[in-house]
Amino acid sequence: MAPQPALRLRLLRRPLFDKILFANLAVVGIGAIAGTVITVWHVRAFPNDLHLELIILFVTAGVILSYFVNRWVLKRALAPLDNLQVGVDRVRAGEADVRVHMGNISDERFDRLAETFNAMLLRQEESAAEMQGLTRRLIGAQEEERLRLARELHDEAAQSLTSLLVRLRLLEHAHTPDEAQARVHDLRALTASALEDVRRVSLDLRPTILDDLGLGPALEWRVDEFNKEGATQGTVVVRGMEARIARDTELALYRVGQEALSNVHRHANATRVEVSLVRTNDTVTLEVRDNGVGFDPSAARGATPATRGCAMGLLGMRERMAIIGGDLVVDAAPGKGTTIRAGASATADMHT
Ligand SMILES: Nc1ncnc2c1ncn2[C@@H]1O[C@H](COP(=O)(O)OP(=O)(O)OP(=O)(O)O)[C@@H](O)[C@H]1O
Ligand SMILES: [Mg+2]
C-alpha cells in the first residue's frame, strides 16, 4: 500500500541529512539481502567456484546503485537552493516582484530561508514605494514653495517696480521744480516699499540673521514676524546660547521652529505660543508650546504616505532632526494644546 499523502510529504520533507542517511541505508540493506540470496543460490549451484565474478558483480552493482540513489536524493533535496539562486539572480538583474518557491520536498530549513528571503524582498519593495511617495511629495512641496515665492515676487516686488517705471516717466515730464520734488518724494517711498518686499522674500527664504548672529536672535526675529501675522501672541526665552553651535544644528532647529510656528498659525487657533531655546551642557533643546486646539499625534504618525495627504511639516521636522542625530517629540492631545520639542547635541562637529 502506498504511504498516505501526508506521511509521504512528511518523509519527503525530512532534513537533507536524514534523506542521504536513509537512502544509503536502503542501498546497503537491499544490497545485503540481494547479495545473500544470490550468494546462497550460487554456492549451491556451483559449489567448486571461486565466486570472484560474484564479488565483482556486487561491488559494481553497489557502486552504481549508490551513485544513482545519492544523485537522485541530492538533486531533489538541493533543488530549493537552486530556486533560491535563480531568485537571487533575478533580483540582481533588477527584476521586480521576484518570489522564491520552495516546492514540496524541501527541508523546513530551506523553507525558512526562502520565507526570510521573500520577506526581505517584500520589505525592500515597501520601503522603496514609501521612499518614492516621499520624494514625490517633497518635490510637490518644493514646487509649491517656488510658486508661492514667484507669486510674491510678481505681486509685490514686480508691481512696485512697474509703478516705479511709470512714476519715473511722469518725473521726466514734470513741468515745475515743485512737481518734480513731489514725484521724487513719491519715488523714494515706492522704492523703500519695493526694497522692503524683496528683503521680506529673501528673509523668508533664509534669514541672514541666522548666519550672522545665530539661532537665538533668528528665532526672536521669527517670533516678532509671527506676532505681526495673526492673533496669537508669541514669546521667546533663550538661555545658555552665548556660544554658537554647529551650523547644521542651527539651521535644522530654526526650520523646526519656523514650521512649528506656521502650524500654530494655521491649525492651533491659540492665543499664546511660547518658544524656548535652552542649552544645558551638551544638549540644545527647542520647545514650541501653544495653548490651542491640539491634535492626536499618533493618528498623524500612523498615517501611510497615501493617507497622509500632502502634510509634510511634522515629517520634515522629524527628518531634519534625524539627519543631525537629534530627535523630535510631539506632545499634543485634542483640546490640550501642542508642544513640539526638538533636541540635538550642542557639541556636534562645528564644521558640518
Ligand atoms: N500646533 C498645532 N495645533 C493643532 N494641530 C496641529 C498643530 N501642528 C500640527 N497640527 C495637526 O497636524 C497635522 C499635520 O501637520 P503638518 O505640519 O505635518 O502638515 P500640514 O501643516 O497640514 O501641511 P504642511 O505643513 O505640509 O503644509 C496638521 O494638519 C494639523 O491637523
Ligand atoms: Mg505644517
Side-chain angles (χ1 to χ4, degrees):
M1 199 178 78
Q4 299 284 310
L7 178 67
R8 213 176 112 219
L9 206 64
R10 274 227 308 279
L11 288 176
L12 287 173
R13 289 169 66 86
R14 299 292 307 162
L16 179 59
F17 176 82
D18 291 354
K19 284 188 182 108
I20 295 174
L21 189 70
F22 288 134
N24 283 297
L25 285 178
V27 169
V28 171
I30 292 168
I33 293 167
T36 310
V37 172
I38 295 171
T39 308
V40 168
W41 167 78
H42 200 269
V43 167
R44 279 193 189 146
F46 311 100
N48 300 324
D49 241 25
L50 249 182
H51 315 306
L52 189 62
E53 61 278 17
L54 261 193
I55 295 169
I56 293 170
L57 174 76
F58 290 151
V59 170
T60 314
V63 167
I64 291 173
L65 192 63
S66 178
Y67 169 79
F68 280 109
V69 170
N70 279 296
R71 189 170 179 272
W72 181 84
V73 169
L74 284 173
K75 228 176 151 122
R76 296 291 300 265
L78 294 179
L81 287 187
D82 292 341
N83 287 352
L84 198 62
Q85 183 62 51
V86 170
V88 170
D89 288 344
R90 286 174 59 198
V91 170
R92 282 174 57 174
E95 260 186 70
D97 288 335
V98 176
R99 292 291 178 274
V100 173
H101 302 286
M102 286 285 99
N104 53 8
I105 77 148
S106 67
D107 274 21
E108 271 174 33
R109 278 171 295 185
F110 292 159
D111 275 356
R112 280 207 297 277
L113 204 63
E115 266 168 34
T116 311
F117 184 69
N118 287 341
M120 271 165 51
L121 289 176
L122 187 69
R123 211 168 312 133
Q124 192 204 7
E125 281 162 17
E126 280 171 357
S127 61
E130 173 118 346
M131 188 63 85
Q132 214 172 39
L134 206 64
T135 311
R136 195 181 312 120
R137 283 178 311 121
L138 271 176
I139 292 172
Q142 197 182 40
E143 280 307 316
E144 246 174 57
E145 180 73 356
R146 284 184 181 167
L147 188 69
R148 187 181 68 76
L149 285 169
R151 275 211 191 107
E152 253 176 65
L153 281 174
H154 178 265
D155 293 352
E156 296 176 25
Q159 296 289 353
S160 304
L161 290 172
T162 313
S163 306
L164 267 179
L165 266 183
V166 173
R167 278 160 212 229
L168 276 171
R169 207 159 291 142
L170 288 176
L171 178 63
E172 265 177 359
H173 298 110
H175 297 295
T176 63
D178 279 354
E179 196 188 339
Q181 180 80 34
R183 300 248 181 262
V184 168
H185 187 78
D186 248 20
L187 276 171
R188 191 182 299 143
L190 210 61
T191 312
S193 135
L195 197 64
E196 180 57 28
D197 289 343
V198 172
R199 207 172 266 157
R200 204 170 37 72
V201 172
S202 134
L203 281 176
D204 217 29
L205 277 175
R206 170 130 178 185
T208 44
I209 194 170
L210 179 63
D211 298 304
D212 298 343
L213 300 179
L215 184 57
L219 283 171
E220 280 162 358
W221 170 80
R222 174 94 327 238
V223 172
D224 277 350
E225 292 296 303
F226 174 86
N227 286 341
K228 292 179 200 158
E229 282 169 17
T232 318
Q233 279 309 296
T235 53
V236 193
V237 174
V238 177
R239 270 208 309 270
M241 294 294 295
E242 292 75 24
R244 294 287 294 266
I245 55 173
R247 295 293 156 97
D248 280 1
T249 311
E250 283 191 336
L251 184 60
L253 288 173
Y254 177 78
R255 294 295 183 212
V256 167
Q258 187 179 25
E259 172 59 24
L261 285 171
S262 150
N263 278 351
V264 173
H265 180 64
R266 289 170 55 201
H267 311 295
N269 201 14
T271 55
R272 279 197 336 270
V273 54
E274 292 160 14
V275 177
S276 80
L277 177 70
V278 178
R279 178 176 179 169
T280 45
N281 301 328
D282 293 346
T283 347
V284 55
T285 309
L286 169 71
E287 195 176 277
V288 179
R289 177 193 296 268
D290 71 58
N291 65 347
V293 294
F295 68 108
D296 179 5
S298 61
R301 201 178 32 244
T304 65
T307 58
R308 213 189 275 129
C310 52
M312 291 295 293
L314 292 174
L315 192 71
M317 290 191 212
R318 236 178 257 289
E319 287 296 308
R320 274 190 186 272
M321 294 312 294
I323 287 168
I324 59 160
D327 57 15
L328 186 100
V329 177
V330 179
D331 186 1
K336 300 239 166 77
T338 301
T339 302
I340 303 285
R341 203 172 299 115
S345 161
T347 51
D349 185 0
M350 298 288 286
H351 302 291
T352 54

